[in-house]
Amino acid sequence: MKITTYNVNGIKARLPRLLEYLGEADADIVCLQELKASDDTFPVKDIEAAGYGAAWHGQKSWNGVAVLARGAQPLERQRGLAGEDEDEHSRYLECDVNGLVVASLYLPNGNPQPGPKFDYKLRWMERLASRARALLAEEVPAVLAGDYNVIPNDDDTFSVPAMASDALMQPESRAAYRRLLAQGWTDSLRTRAPRGGVWTFWDYQAGSWQRDAGFRIDHLLLSPQAADRLVDAGVDKSYRGREKASDHAPTWVKLRDA
């Protein structure tokens, strides 16, 4: 079973690239982020025509997450995270799919830092940690997949000095990510690239793709029950090089069937 996380950076603008991926990559579950589309403009008919059922949590022009399942309909468990009733950002969607609990998440960027956006990022990470603890208590195979907007380690970026002041690499962001892992979650891609050097994002600016000046911010975290089934993990890097591509590459994990 192949599970992919893919920040599409605007589903309407990237729909041809997404449909290519669905047709070519043999993914069973695809978690999308940064839809930048309201619920009523989500292209569900195109996705269903590609053979996937879909659940989505949209927001006009910003944010937005979805879970797609090949030949199945994801069953929504939860949308949004508890803890801030006034938070209207569409950043978390959790579904049951083929015996797995799968969450698609789009963690706040947090820039500029310091400031209110960075404070919101850290609060959101604490809310995610609370939900993650509850999932572990269920003792079910679960995958937290998405754009975490966190560079966990120095070897997860092309240049530590270039990113030193960015919210993605602050000590507080990294510490919150480590606390999440310490609950018992497995960073699946890290198990296959323990020395780093694998990127999932390349900015549109300054020829970042051409220079391979990227970093790793798209992660698939596995509960112990899912980690026991881990077969492989990787990045479908070539999709970043296509015409009018997202600035993220699809990142995936493969699990043995139950």
Side-chain angles (χ1 to χ4, degrees):
M1 178 181 294
K2 181 177 181 179
I3 304 159
T4 296
T5 183
Y6 192 4
N7 180 321
V8 292
N9 191 16
I11 193 167
K12 288 180 280 188
R14 315 294 171 202
L15 186 59
R17 301 291 81 78
L18 173 60
L19 295 178
E20 282 177 355
Y21 187 78
L22 296 180
E24 297 171 1
D26 196 32
D28 298 286
I29 300 171
V30 180
C31 296
L32 304 178
Q33 301 87 40
E34 209 170 353
L35 303 178
K36 298 181 180 179
S38 60
D39 280 342
D40 60 349
T41 60
F42 183 82
V44 61
K45 291 184 178 180
D46 294 288
I47 288 168
E48 289 176 345
Y52 286 76
W56 62 94
H57 181 25
Q59 184 175 343
K60 184 179 180 180
S61 302
W62 305 101
N63 307 319
V65 287
V67 176
L68 315 183
R70 183 167 57 181
Q73 177 59 44
L75 301 178
E76 183 177 322
R77 294 173 116 241
Q78 179 172 317
R79 59 175 53 204
L81 293 171
E84 291 191 34
D85 292 341
E86 68 278 13
D87 186 1
E88 297 181 349
H89 289 197
S90 299
R91 294 184 177 273
Y92 184 88
L93 183 65
E94 182 183 302
C95 296
D96 284 317
V97 186
N98 296 331
L100 295 177
V101 176
V102 180
S104 179
L105 64 96
Y106 178 43
L107 206 145
N109 177 282
N111 284 304
Q113 69 83 29
K117 291 185 177 181
F118 189 62
D119 295 341
Y120 170 62
K121 178 191 188 89
L122 297 180
R123 292 197 311 273
W124 202 94
M125 294 187 78
E126 288 305 312
R127 291 160 59 200
L128 174 62
S130 178
R131 181 58 191 158
R133 280 191 294 270
L135 284 174
L136 290 179
E138 294 186 35
E139 297 186 353
V140 295
V143 183
L144 300 177
D147 176 359
Y148 281 70
N149 271 315
V150 175
I151 299 170
N153 309 286
D154 285 356
D155 56 15
D156 287 318
T157 177
F158 76 102
S159 171
V160 170
M163 300 302 296
S165 63
D166 198 284
L168 279 62
M169 213 175 75
Q170 293 310 295
E172 299 91 338
S173 306
R174 287 179 160 184
Y177 186 81
R178 287 195 301 271
R179 288 195 297 272
L180 193 60
L181 295 182
Q183 293 181 359
W185 297 89
T186 294
D187 182 339
S188 56
L189 186 56
R190 189 71 177 179
T191 68
R192 293 301 182 263
R195 297 182 180 180
V198 176
W199 320 141
T200 67
F201 172 91
W202 297 258
D203 198 280
Y204 291 130
Q205 305 300 318
S208 295
W209 169 248
Q210 291 77 8
R211 296 186 295 116
D212 198 28
F215 41 84
R216 185 174 77 99
I217 55 176
D218 301 274
H219 312 307
L220 298 105
L221 304 190
L222 310 180
S223 71
Q225 294 77 12
D228 285 345
R229 294 162 53 182
L230 176 61
V231 174
D232 201 3
V235 182
D236 286 330
K237 181 178 178 179
S238 65
Y239 286 86
R240 173 60 180 86
R242 298 194 179 189
E243 184 180 1
K244 296 182 179 178
S246 170
D247 43 9
H248 295 250
T251 305
W252 51 266
V253 63
K254 289 183 179 179
L255 306 180
R256 288 191 304 273
D257 292 337

PDB file of all heavy atoms in Angstrom, residues 153 155-156 187-199 216 232-235:
ATOM      1  N   ASN A 153      16.243  18.586  10.797  1.00  0.00           N
ATOM      2  CA  ASN A 153      17.674  18.443  11.081  1.00  0.00           C
ATOM      3  C   ASN A 153      18.485  19.294  10.115  1.00  0.00           C
ATOM      4  O   ASN A 153      18.019  19.654   9.031  1.00  0.00           O
ATOM      5  CB  ASN A 153      18.100  16.971  10.914  1.00  0.00           C
ATOM      6  CG  ASN A 153      17.212  16.017  11.667  1.00  0.00           C
ATOM      7  OD1 ASN A 153      17.278  15.914  12.876  1.00  0.00           O
ATOM      8  ND2 ASN A 153      16.346  15.305  10.928  1.00  0.00           N
ATOM      9  N   ASP A 155      20.832  18.392   8.259  1.00  0.00           N
ATOM     10  CA  ASP A 155      21.081  17.708   6.990  1.00  0.00           C
ATOM     11  C   ASP A 155      19.801  17.540   6.163  1.00  0.00           C
ATOM     12  O   ASP A 155      19.808  16.849   5.142  1.00  0.00           O
ATOM     13  CB  ASP A 155      21.774  16.361   7.197  1.00  0.00           C
ATOM     14  CG  ASP A 155      21.008  15.434   8.129  1.00  0.00           C
ATOM     15  OD1 ASP A 155      19.818  15.681   8.399  1.00  0.00           O
ATOM     16  OD2 ASP A 155      21.613  14.434   8.598  1.00  0.00           O
ATOM     17  N   ASP A 156      18.716  18.183   6.594  1.00  0.00           N
ATOM     18  CA  ASP A 156      17.478  18.196   5.818  1.00  0.00           C
ATOM     19  C   ASP A 156      17.334  19.471   4.992  1.00  0.00           C
ATOM     20  O   ASP A 156      16.252  19.746   4.459  1.00  0.00           O
ATOM     21  CB  ASP A 156      16.265  18.058   6.744  1.00  0.00           C
ATOM     22  CG  ASP A 156      16.118  16.654   7.310  1.00  0.00           C
ATOM     23  OD1 ASP A 156      16.316  15.688   6.550  1.00  0.00           O
ATOM     24  OD2 ASP A 156      15.801  16.525   8.506  1.00  0.00           O
ATOM     25  N   ASP A 187       9.339   8.721  11.820  1.00  0.00           N
ATOM     26  CA  ASP A 187       9.542   9.555  10.626  1.00  0.00           C
ATOM     27  C   ASP A 187       9.975   8.619   9.505  1.00  0.00           C
ATOM     28  O   ASP A 187      11.146   8.240   9.399  1.00  0.00           O
ATOM     29  CB  ASP A 187      10.603  10.607  10.930  1.00  0.00           C
ATOM     30  CG  ASP A 187      10.872  11.567   9.782  1.00  0.00           C
ATOM     31  OD1 ASP A 187      10.556  11.227   8.624  1.00  0.00           O
ATOM     32  OD2 ASP A 187      11.418  12.654  10.040  1.00  0.00           O
ATOM     33  N   SER A 188       9.034   8.227   8.653  1.00  0.00           N
ATOM     34  CA  SER A 188       9.271   7.130   7.713  1.00  0.00           C
ATOM     35  C   SER A 188      10.397   7.429   6.727  1.00  0.00           C
ATOM     36  O   SER A 188      11.247   6.564   6.468  1.00  0.00           O
ATOM     37  CB  SER A 188       7.979   6.789   6.951  1.00  0.00           C
ATOM     38  OG  SER A 188       7.458   7.926   6.290  1.00  0.00           O
ATOM     39  N   LEU A 189      10.437   8.625   6.164  1.00  0.00           N
ATOM     40  CA  LEU A 189      11.476   8.925   5.183  1.00  0.00           C
ATOM     41  C   LEU A 189      12.853   8.951   5.834  1.00  0.00           C
ATOM     42  O   LEU A 189      13.851   8.544   5.227  1.00  0.00           O
ATOM     43  CB  LEU A 189      11.180  10.251   4.486  1.00  0.00           C
ATOM     44  CG  LEU A 189      12.092  10.638   3.325  1.00  0.00           C
ATOM     45  CD1 LEU A 189      12.130   9.558   2.251  1.00  0.00           C
ATOM     46  CD2 LEU A 189      11.654  11.968   2.715  1.00  0.00           C
ATOM     47  N   ARG A 190      12.908   9.390   7.076  1.00  0.00           N
ATOM     48  CA  ARG A 190      14.191   9.434   7.782  1.00  0.00           C
ATOM     49  C   ARG A 190      14.763   8.032   7.985  1.00  0.00           C
ATOM     50  O   ARG A 190      15.988   7.849   8.003  1.00  0.00           O
ATOM     51  CB  ARG A 190      14.008  10.132   9.131  1.00  0.00           C
ATOM     52  CG  ARG A 190      15.323  10.436   9.861  1.00  0.00           C
ATOM     53  CD  ARG A 190      16.087  11.548   9.182  1.00  0.00           C
ATOM     54  NE  ARG A 190      17.310  11.887   9.916  1.00  0.00           N
ATOM     55  CZ  ARG A 190      18.182  12.816   9.530  1.00  0.00           C
ATOM     56  NH1 ARG A 190      17.958  13.506   8.429  1.00  0.00           N
ATOM     57  NH2 ARG A 190      19.248  13.063  10.241  1.00  0.00           N
ATOM     58  N   THR A 191      13.901   7.047   8.112  1.00  0.00           N
ATOM     59  CA  THR A 191      14.406   5.683   8.267  1.00  0.00           C
ATOM     60  C   THR A 191      15.131   5.213   7.020  1.00  0.00           C
ATOM     61  O   THR A 191      16.006   4.346   7.101  1.00  0.00           O
ATOM     62  CB  THR A 191      13.267   4.690   8.583  1.00  0.00           C
ATOM     63  OG1 THR A 191      12.412   4.550   7.439  1.00  0.00           O
ATOM     64  CG2 THR A 191      12.457   5.133   9.791  1.00  0.00           C
ATOM     65  N   ARG A 192      14.790   5.760   5.869  1.00  0.00           N
ATOM     66  CA  ARG A 192      15.428   5.362   4.612  1.00  0.00           C
ATOM     67  C   ARG A 192      16.564   6.296   4.224  1.00  0.00           C
ATOM     68  O   ARG A 192      17.363   5.962   3.353  1.00  0.00           O
ATOM     69  CB  ARG A 192      14.382   5.317   3.487  1.00  0.00           C
ATOM     70  CG  ARG A 192      13.353   4.199   3.679  1.00  0.00           C
ATOM     71  CD  ARG A 192      14.059   2.846   3.736  1.00  0.00           C
ATOM     72  NE  ARG A 192      13.143   1.736   3.866  1.00  0.00           N
ATOM     73  CZ  ARG A 192      12.831   1.139   5.017  1.00  0.00           C
ATOM     74  NH1 ARG A 192      13.357   1.588   6.151  1.00  0.00           N
ATOM     75  NH2 ARG A 192      12.015   0.111   5.064  1.00  0.00           N
ATOM     76  N   ALA A 193      16.628   7.469   4.828  1.00  0.00           N
ATOM     77  CA  ALA A 193      17.702   8.429   4.542  1.00  0.00           C
ATOM     78  C   ALA A 193      18.212   8.992   5.870  1.00  0.00           C
ATOM     79  O   ALA A 193      18.050  10.175   6.158  1.00  0.00           O
ATOM     80  CB  ALA A 193      17.199   9.542   3.633  1.00  0.00           C
ATOM     81  N   PRO A 194      18.831   8.156   6.697  1.00  0.00           N
ATOM     82  CA  PRO A 194      19.226   8.598   8.038  1.00  0.00           C
ATOM     83  C   PRO A 194      20.283   9.690   8.044  1.00  0.00           C
ATOM     84  O   PRO A 194      20.444  10.382   9.058  1.00  0.00           O
ATOM     85  CB  PRO A 194      19.751   7.309   8.694  1.00  0.00           C
ATOM     86  CG  PRO A 194      20.141   6.424   7.564  1.00  0.00           C
ATOM     87  CD  PRO A 194      19.171   6.731   6.467  1.00  0.00           C
ATOM     88  N   ARG A 195      20.987   9.865   6.945  1.00  0.00           N
ATOM     89  CA  ARG A 195      22.000  10.920   6.853  1.00  0.00           C
ATOM     90  C   ARG A 195      21.492  12.159   6.130  1.00  0.00           C
ATOM     91  O   ARG A 195      22.275  13.075   5.822  1.00  0.00           O
ATOM     92  CB  ARG A 195      23.246  10.386   6.152  1.00  0.00           C
ATOM     93  CG  ARG A 195      23.930   9.252   6.917  1.00  0.00           C
ATOM     94  CD  ARG A 195      25.187   8.778   6.221  1.00  0.00           C
ATOM     95  NE  ARG A 195      25.823   7.693   6.953  1.00  0.00           N
ATOM     96  CZ  ARG A 195      26.941   7.083   6.573  1.00  0.00           C
ATOM     97  NH1 ARG A 195      27.540   7.458   5.440  1.00  0.00           N
ATOM     98  NH2 ARG A 195      27.453   6.105   7.300  1.00  0.00           N
ATOM     99  N   GLY A 196      20.197  12.201   5.854  1.00  0.00           N
ATOM    100  CA  GLY A 196      19.622  13.378   5.230  1.00  0.00           C
ATOM    101  C   GLY A 196      19.953  13.493   3.758  1.00  0.00           C
ATOM    102  O   GLY A 196      20.219  12.504   3.072  1.00  0.00           O
ATOM    103  N   GLY A 197      19.930  14.731   3.270  1.00  0.00           N
ATOM    104  CA  GLY A 197      20.252  14.983   1.872  1.00  0.00           C
ATOM    105  C   GLY A 197      19.132  14.681   0.898  1.00  0.00           C
ATOM    106  O   GLY A 197      19.357  14.640  -0.313  1.00  0.00           O
ATOM    107  N   VAL A 198      17.920  14.467   1.419  1.00  0.00           N
ATOM    108  CA  VAL A 198      16.751  14.205   0.572  1.00  0.00           C
ATOM    109  C   VAL A 198      15.784  15.369   0.733  1.00  0.00           C
ATOM    110  O   VAL A 198      15.364  15.686   1.848  1.00  0.00           O
ATOM    111  CB  VAL A 198      16.061  12.885   0.975  1.00  0.00           C
ATOM    112  CG1 VAL A 198      14.790  12.682   0.159  1.00  0.00           C
ATOM    113  CG2 VAL A 198      17.011  11.707   0.794  1.00  0.00           C
ATOM    114  N   TRP A 199      15.429  15.991  -0.381  1.00  0.00           N
ATOM    115  CA  TRP A 199      14.561  17.172  -0.320  1.00  0.00           C
ATOM    116  C   TRP A 199      13.157  16.827  -0.803  1.00  0.00           C
ATOM    117  O   TRP A 199      12.972  15.921  -1.624  1.00  0.00           O
ATOM    118  CB  TRP A 199      15.096  18.317  -1.170  1.00  0.00           C
ATOM    119  CG  TRP A 199      16.558  18.576  -1.175  1.00  0.00           C
ATOM    120  CD1 TRP A 199      17.302  18.934  -2.259  1.00  0.00           C
ATOM    121  CD2 TRP A 199      17.483  18.559  -0.073  1.00  0.00           C
ATOM    122  NE1 TRP A 199      18.610  19.119  -1.918  1.00  0.00           N
ATOM    123  CE2 TRP A 199      18.755  18.894  -0.574  1.00  0.00           C
ATOM    124  CE3 TRP A 199      17.351  18.282   1.286  1.00  0.00           C
ATOM    125  CZ2 TRP A 199      19.889  18.961   0.235  1.00  0.00           C
ATOM    126  CZ3 TRP A 199      18.476  18.335   2.101  1.00  0.00           C
ATOM    127  CH2 TRP A 199      19.717  18.686   1.572  1.00  0.00           C
ATOM    128  N   ARG A 216      13.705  19.405   3.260  1.00  0.00           N
ATOM    129  CA  ARG A 216      12.696  18.390   3.567  1.00  0.00           C
ATOM    130  C   ARG A 216      11.715  18.933   4.598  1.00  0.00           C
ATOM    131  O   ARG A 216      12.081  19.159   5.747  1.00  0.00           O
ATOM    132  CB  ARG A 216      13.369  17.120   4.099  1.00  0.00           C
ATOM    133  CG  ARG A 216      12.403  15.959   4.323  1.00  0.00           C
ATOM    134  CD  ARG A 216      13.153  14.686   4.717  1.00  0.00           C
ATOM    135  NE  ARG A 216      13.591  14.677   6.093  1.00  0.00           N
ATOM    136  CZ  ARG A 216      12.951  14.050   7.097  1.00  0.00           C
ATOM    137  NH1 ARG A 216      11.836  13.381   6.862  1.00  0.00           N
ATOM    138  NH2 ARG A 216      13.437  14.086   8.319  1.00  0.00           N
ATOM    139  N   ASP A 232       9.003   0.728   2.624  1.00  0.00           N
ATOM    140  CA  ASP A 232       9.896   1.670   1.950  1.00  0.00           C
ATOM    141  C   ASP A 232       9.312   3.067   2.069  1.00  0.00           C
ATOM    142  O   ASP A 232       8.133   3.244   2.425  1.00  0.00           O
ATOM    143  CB  ASP A 232      10.052   1.281   0.473  1.00  0.00           C
ATOM    144  CG  ASP A 232      11.306   1.870  -0.165  1.00  0.00           C
ATOM    145  OD1 ASP A 232      12.086   2.536   0.544  1.00  0.00           O
ATOM    146  OD2 ASP A 232      11.480   1.695  -1.391  1.00  0.00           O
ATOM    147  N   ALA A 233      10.139   4.067   1.773  1.00  0.00           N
ATOM    148  CA  ALA A 233       9.698   5.460   1.744  1.00  0.00           C
ATOM    149  C   ALA A 233      10.586   6.202   0.762  1.00  0.00           C
ATOM    150  O   ALA A 233      11.747   5.829   0.550  1.00  0.00           O
ATOM    151  CB  ALA A 233       9.775   6.089   3.134  1.00  0.00           C
ATOM    152  N   GLY A 234      10.043   7.265   0.146  1.00  0.00           N
ATOM    153  CA  GLY A 234      10.833   8.000  -0.832  1.00  0.00           C
ATOM    154  C   GLY A 234      10.119   9.246  -1.319  1.00  0.00           C
ATOM    155  O   GLY A 234       9.069   9.635  -0.798  1.00  0.00           O
ATOM    156  N   VAL A 235      10.705   9.860  -2.326  1.00  0.00           N
ATOM    157  CA  VAL A 235      10.188  11.089  -2.925  1.00  0.00           C
ATOM    158  C   VAL A 235      10.097  10.887  -4.431  1.00  0.00           C
ATOM    159  O   VAL A 235      11.072  10.456  -5.059  1.00  0.00           O
ATOM    160  CB  VAL A 235      11.102  12.293  -2.608  1.00  0.00           C
ATOM    161  CG1 VAL A 235      10.525  13.580  -3.211  1.00  0.00           C
ATOM    162  CG2 VAL A 235      11.303  12.443  -1.103  1.00  0.00           C
TER     163      VAL A 235
END
